[in-house]
């Protein structure tokens, strides 16, 4: 009895350690491209649905409405943005790998800054 309980507890801990945090629909990780690939020619992805993979650089500390993927390029980091309350990204996600499926759109910056691109996701998976 004790061995069975111990085995079930260990299996539960292993499963919990490998669980992911999911938002929205399922993410097709087999279709994921690294964020650096998108940043080579972001305009070619504009208004298209893509799945991105990347390491989370930062998360909105007020409402969890955006997070940024680290990118080894002059254009990084790359922002993933939702309407406030649609998805709430946890601050604990910083440094973790994530996958996000959504539409790439232009993000106007203002008159003194060049416009940027960001992803409006329908699905996000943060790997634990």
């Amino acid at each position: 009895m004790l061995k069975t309980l111990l085995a079930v507890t260990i299996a539960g801990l292993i499963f919990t350690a490998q669980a992911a945090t999911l938002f929205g629909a399922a993410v097709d990780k087999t279709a994921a491209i690294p964020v650096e690939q998108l940043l080579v020619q972001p305009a070619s992805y504009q208004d298209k649905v893509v799945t991105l993979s990347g390491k989370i650089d930062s998360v909105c500390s007020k409402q969890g409405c955006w997070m940024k993927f680290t990118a080894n390029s002059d254009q990084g980091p790359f922002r993933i943005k939702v309407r406030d309350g649609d998805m709430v990204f946890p601050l604990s996600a910083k440094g973790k790998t994530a996958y996000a499926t959504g539409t790439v759109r232009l993000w106007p910056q203002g008159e003194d800054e060049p416009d940027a691109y960001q992803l409006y996701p329908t699905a996000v998976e943060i790997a634990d």
Side-chain angles (χ1 to χ4, degrees), residues 63-119:
Q63 296 193 18
C65 60
W66 57 260
M67 63 181 174
K68 292 181 181 177
F69 281 176
T70 302
N72 298 326
S73 88
D74 294 337
Q75 297 180 4
F78 185 79
R79 190 166 100 146
I80 286 69
K81 171 71 173 117
V82 297
R83 286 188 318 202
D84 294 349
D86 281 0
M87 299 177 189
V88 179
F89 304 124
L91 293 175
S92 62
K94 186 175 178 181
K96 296 182 179 178
T97 299
Y99 303 88
T101 300
T103 305
V104 176
R105 296 207 177 109
L106 197 58
W107 176 27
Q109 299 294 298
E111 62 185 61
D112 294 336
E113 296 289 326
D115 291 343
Y117 293 88
Q118 63 184 359
L119 184 80

Side-chain angles (χ1 to χ4, degrees), residues 5-18:
L5 182 58
L6 183 60
V8 169
T9 302
I10 291 172
L13 290 174
I14 291 171
F15 178 74
T16 302
Q18 295 177 352

Side-chain angles (χ1 to χ4, degrees), residues 11 41 50 53 64 76 113:
Q41 291 186 317
V50 298
S53 64
E113 296 289 326

